[in-house]
């Protein structure tokens, strides 16, 4: 919906046009652009938090659970309907709204790190620095907002699966087999 | 030197102060902020291009050569002296300077992708989408500019080695052994 460098130059009328609403209708729900940006970011983070909370509570291999969380993150970021790729633009927000997003984002990062730590503790993931790996993953995923094009070669779900698969492989202690490793990314994207 | 959202609000006097130069001296070398930003980005990209060109020409395991390129990238990004973390801010540049950086950045991305493709061709790396993996790597590395603090727990070299090690592991088809895999990241960062 909003590209990472496009929001500052976007007016309420542009947003209303994009959402197929009259400006009056848009103002009925939101007091201004800041509120819309906050709403998009907040809703995207809720989806991501739901995914990580669900994965931590679930059973099964850590790799498969982490894969689901990462794929959901990318899909949420790139989903044009949700407008969530705006969620990297927190500096555009006034401090009070910004702080609420930062706190929620920190909570999500913590959940992701704890999921990785649990996989290390169970012996499924290689030891290392979970905090650093978490940030590397967040970077790889958030960066998609700078280059993904909805009319590009691959849709958001394919990009999400591909990036998630690559990131999870970086943590796995043992591959089931060479076939198993190749089997997770059978196609060229 | 310049944080990813700090440059727009930085004046020539601030830059002169940070570089311990008089504003007159700074204007002797640069006509304005745009030229300084361009110079920083251009120089950073030259270092990165040197690293990837050297790695493609070198012999030895693909994993070790890729590891060196990625570690050099992060170190260049985070190196306070070079001011290279500004290199993600290309949208601040006027179009003519921006285009030159974009072309050089594309050349670097292509070199990185070709290094990965060569590793896949030799059987050292898992098959998959080299373009997607390249962008995931660029995201993980460039994102460090948003969170790295020079006074933080780890220096730039440690962060670079850690992120590079994680990203290379995501590509390796076979680990030498469980010991070998753990041995590449023996410390917690």
């Amino acid at each position: 919906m909003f590209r990472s460098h496009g929001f500052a130059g976007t007016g309420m009328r542009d947003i209303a046009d994009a959402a197929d609403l009259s400006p009056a209708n848009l103002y009925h729900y939101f007091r201004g652009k800041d509120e819309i940006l906050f709403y998009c970011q907040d809703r995207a983070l809720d989806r991501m938090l739901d995914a990580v909370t669900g994965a931590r509570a679930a059973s099964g291999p850590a790799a498969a659970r982490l894969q689901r969380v990462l794929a959901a993150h990318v899909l949420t970021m790139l989903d044009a309907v949700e407008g969530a790729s705006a969620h990297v633009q927190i500096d555009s927000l006034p401090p009070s709204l910004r702080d609420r997003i930062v706190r929620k984002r920190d909570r999500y990062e913590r959940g992701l790190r704890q999921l990785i730590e649990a996989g290390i503790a169970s012996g499924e993931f290689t030891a290392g620095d979970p905090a650093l790996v978490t940030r590397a993953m967040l970077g790889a995923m958030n960066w998609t907002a700078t280059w993904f094009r909805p009319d590009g070669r691959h849709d958001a779900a394919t990009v999400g699966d591909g990036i998630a698969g690559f990131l999870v492989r970086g943590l796995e202690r043992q591959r089931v087999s060479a076939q198993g490793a190749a089997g997770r990314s059978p196609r060229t994207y």
Side-chain angles (χ1 to χ4, degrees), chain A residues 128-140:
Chain A
D129 183 351
L132 191 66
V133 166
T134 301
R135 285 182 168 176
M137 290 182 171
L138 290 172

Side-chain angles (χ1 to χ4, degrees), chain A residues 22-185:
Chain A
S22 72
N25 209 331
L26 197 62
Y27 275 113
H28 176 75
Y29 294 103
F30 300 105
R31 262 173 301 178
K33 272 171 42 176
D34 288 341
E35 273 198 7
I36 296 178
L37 182 56
F38 174 82
Y39 174 81
C40 292
Q41 300 191 346
D42 195 56
R43 198 163 148 188
L45 278 167
D46 281 340
R47 275 176 61 172
M48 296 177 185
L49 269 169
D50 280 352
V52 81
T53 305
R56 290 183 60 206
S59 56
R65 287 183 289 135
L66 181 59
Q67 164 88 28
R68 282 202 302 275
V69 174
L70 302 183
H73 181 122
V74 175
L75 198 57
T76 303
M77 290 277 309
L78 303 182
D79 186 336
V81 178
E82 299 289 338
S85 71
H87 109 270
V88 289
Q89 298 184 279
I90 58 154
D91 294 316
S92 317
L93 287 173
S96 62
L97 294 180
R98 185 182 181 281
D99 289 351
R100 286 167 62 187
I101 293 294
V102 168
R103 276 198 299 276
K104 195 172 270 192
R105 203 181 57 177
D106 287 349
R107 196 142 57 87
Y108 172 67
E109 180 173 340
R110 215 155 43 235
L112 191 53
R113 197 185 64 231
Q114 286 164 339
L115 183 60
I116 292 170
E117 285 166 346
I120 295 172
S122 70
E124 293 167 89
F125 292 153
T126 54
D129 183 351
L132 191 66
V133 166
T134 301
R135 285 182 168 176
M137 290 182 171
L138 290 172
M141 296 186 294
N142 290 339
W143 197 252
T144 57
T146 70
W147 59 264
F148 179 76
R149 297 289 171 263
D151 55 353
R153 203 155 51 104
H154 308 303
D155 63 13
T158 307
V159 168
D161 286 346
I163 287 190
F166 166 67
L167 294 173
V168 170
R169 279 197 300 275
L171 273 178
E172 287 177 292
R173 182 177 287 279
Q174 292 192 304
R175 310 258 161 81
V176 177
S177 71
Q179 266 65 31
R184 258 197 306 286
S185 54

